[in-house]
């Protein structure tokens, strides 16, 4: 049973426009969420995170929104740049419940066209 | 800091061979983990460790062994390689599991092919 779902395998946007990547989760015990970016032949790199006590976290061009009632989070990139083209993974964890595991979605490949 | 290092970068094995994937970190992180990435499957947790001497299974542990004798090192052993273990393997570490900022740092990966 997939606990973290990224239902869009790919997304293509124009440079300068907004990119919105979505993620849904099923485990209501998840209380910390992270987004990672991965370029080909490299390890994933941390992008931004959000705790369940917040509904928004911003870092430069990147904003993550959390809707706990819908068990949904999204990553907004504004404006999108060609260098943002990568695979983006959503991940979630239950930091208080004793399950010391980070659960990843399958990823969304973002292509930003010049 | 070198961060998280993994060796080798590439490896080809024959079915039934054994090998150890090495992972080391120099950030004094307590939590370390191994993931495998397969096309269309995302990152799946194999084994993890919350500190030296403590290891536990992740989502896909079968066919893999780990040990954690020091804080710095977390090797992954394949005792009898199978073609189903062809994958890209990533090691990751974080300061501790229950920290407020549970950001994991990933190594560059080991691409393993089992023939």
């Amino acid at each position: 049973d997939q606990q973290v779902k990224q239902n869009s395998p790919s997304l293509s946007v124009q440079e300068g426009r907004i990119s919105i990547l979505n993620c849904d989760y099923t485990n209501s015990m998840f209380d910390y969420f992270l987004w990672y970016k991965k370029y080909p032949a490299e390890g994933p790199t941390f992008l931004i995170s959000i705790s369940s006590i917040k509904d928004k976290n911003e870092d430069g061009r990147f904003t993550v929104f959390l809707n706990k009632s819908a068990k949904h989070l999204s990553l907004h990139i504004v404006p999108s740049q060609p260098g943002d083209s990568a695979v983006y993974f959503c991940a979630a964890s239950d930091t208080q419940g004793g399950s010391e595991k980070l659960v990843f979605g399958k990823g969304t490949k973002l292509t930003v066209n010049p | 800091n070198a961060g998280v290092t993994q060796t080798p970068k590439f490896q080809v094995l024959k079915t039934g061979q054994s090998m150890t994937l090495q992972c080391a970190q120099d950030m004094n992180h307590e939590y370390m983990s191994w993931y495998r990435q397969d096309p269309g499957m995302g990152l799946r947790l194999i084994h993890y460790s919350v500190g030296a001497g403590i290891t536990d299974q992740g989502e896909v542990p079968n066919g893999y062994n780990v040990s954690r004798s020091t804080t710095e090192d977390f090797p992954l052993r394949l005792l009898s390689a199978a073609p189903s273990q062809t994958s890209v393997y990533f090691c990751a570490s974080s300061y501790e599991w229950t920290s407020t900022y549970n950001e994991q740092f990933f190594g560059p990966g080991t691409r393993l092919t089992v023939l």
Side-chain angles (χ1 to χ4, degrees):
Chain A
D1 182 30
Q2 200 179 349
Q3 298 186 71
V4 178
K5 300 177 185 178
Q6 294 178 257
N7 292 320
S8 298
S10 62
L11 175 67
S12 182
V13 299
Q14 286 299 119
E15 181 178 5
R17 306 295 291 268
I18 184 172
S19 295
I20 300 176
L21 295 92
N22 294 304
C23 178
D24 297 294
Y25 61 96
T26 58
N27 187 343
S28 58
M29 298 301 294
F30 286 151
D31 60 356
Y32 195 70
F33 305 88
L34 308 93
W35 284 93
Y36 283 82
K37 179 167 75 172
K38 185 183 181 304
Y39 293 120
E42 295 183 10
T45 56
F46 171 75
L47 193 57
I48 192 169
S49 63
I50 188 167
S51 165
S52 60
I53 62 173
K54 297 184 176 181
D55 54 18
K56 177 183 174 181
N57 189 26
E58 238 176 310
D59 184 1
R61 297 186 296 114
F62 302 91
T63 303
V64 56
F65 296 91
L66 175 63
N67 182 334
K68 283 179 289 185
S69 61
K71 296 190 179 70
H72 177 83
L73 64 156
S74 60
L75 174 68
H76 293 211
I77 307 173
V78 184
S80 300
Q81 299 173 353
D84 295 329
S85 296
V87 177
Y88 289 79
F89 291 100
C90 171
S93 62
D94 169 10
T95 64
Q96 304 300 319
S99 172
E100 299 140 334
K101 303 172 186 176
L102 192 58
V103 181
F104 283 82
K106 294 185 177 182
T108 297
K109 182 177 182 180
L110 173 66
T111 303
V112 181
N113 301 301
Chain B
N1 286 349
V4 179
T5 57
Q6 291 183 239
T7 55
K9 289 191 189 309
F10 302 93
Q11 183 69 50
V12 179
L13 291 177
K14 294 181 179 178
T15 297
Q17 286 185 315
S18 62
M19 80 159 296
T20 299
L21 280 63
Q22 301 292 344
C23 174
Q25 53 88 12
D26 60 358
M27 297 174 283
N28 202 31
H29 284 173
E30 291 293 327
Y31 186 90
M32 295 187 74
S33 54
W34 277 101
Y35 296 87
R36 59 178 288 174
Q37 185 191 13
D38 302 293
M41 297 298 292
L43 291 156
R44 293 184 292 170
L45 182 65
I46 304 171
H47 284 286
Y48 66 97
S49 169
V50 298
I54 306 169
T55 63
D56 208 340
Q57 296 181 351
E59 180 185 356
V60 287
N62 291 341
Y64 308 95
N65 280 352
V66 292
S67 60
R68 183 95 179 270
S69 57
T70 67
T71 299
E72 294 78 19
D73 301 297
F74 191 43
L76 179 71
R77 298 184 187 85
L78 284 72
L79 297 179
S80 179
S84 60
Q85 294 178 304
T86 293
S87 187
V88 181
Y89 292 84
F90 292 102
C91 179
S93 73
S94 63
Y95 178 63
E96 62 180 10
W97 179 253
T98 56
S99 63
T100 302
Y101 301 100
N102 192 10
E103 169 194 346
Q104 292 198 35
F105 295 83
F106 281 80
T110 294
R111 185 174 294 273
L112 176 67
T113 301
V114 183
L115 303 175

